[in-house]
Amino acid sequence: MSFLLCVAEKVLDGLFQHPVKKASLHKNSCNILLFGAGGQLGLKLHGLLSARGSVHALAHRDLDLRDLPRLRELISDTRPGLIVNAAAYTA
């Protein structure tokens, strides 16, 4: 898990330093939509992302990602500059 978090942190650092992405993220007040926030990875990512903007964190109980109309509505309402999917499939 710690290796994955190191990779995620490096990716986020790069994303937030990229000139085009940086302008886009700041234009949208850095709203971040995080799916899978109730899982192990989602909880850790929430901590990393919180330092970079306003995080709308959703767990499975909040939204079923297969519900496309609700997903579209959520994205339209929150207008995120960044969407992170940490949701996992559990059989």
Side-chain angles (χ1 to χ4, degrees):
M1 175 63 81
S2 62
F3 172 74
L4 184 57
L5 289 175
C6 287
V7 171
E9 193 165 18
K10 294 291 182 191
V11 168
L12 289 172
D13 285 344
L15 178 66
F16 279 83
Q17 295 307 315
H18 188 278
V20 174
K21 298 290 183 190
K22 189 175 181 179
S24 173
L25 289 170
H26 289 298
K27 182 176 78 174
N28 290 318
S29 302
C30 211
N31 284 327
I32 301 168
L33 191 54
L34 172 62
F35 298 118
Q40 188 176 6
L41 179 59
L43 289 169
K44 296 290 185 180
L45 284 173
H46 189 226
L48 289 173
L49 294 168
S50 292
R52 300 170 188 282
S54 174
V55 180
H56 302 274
L58 300 165
H60 177 69
R61 67 182 173 276
D62 303 316
L63 174 73
D64 183 343
L65 291 176
R66 297 172 296 176
D67 184 351
L68 294 182
R70 175 70 183 111
L71 186 59
R72 285 187 187 106
E73 177 185 357
L74 178 69
I75 291 170
S76 177
D77 290 348
T78 59
R79 303 188 50 82
L82 177 66
I83 298 173
V84 177
N85 183 8
Y89 173 75
T90 306

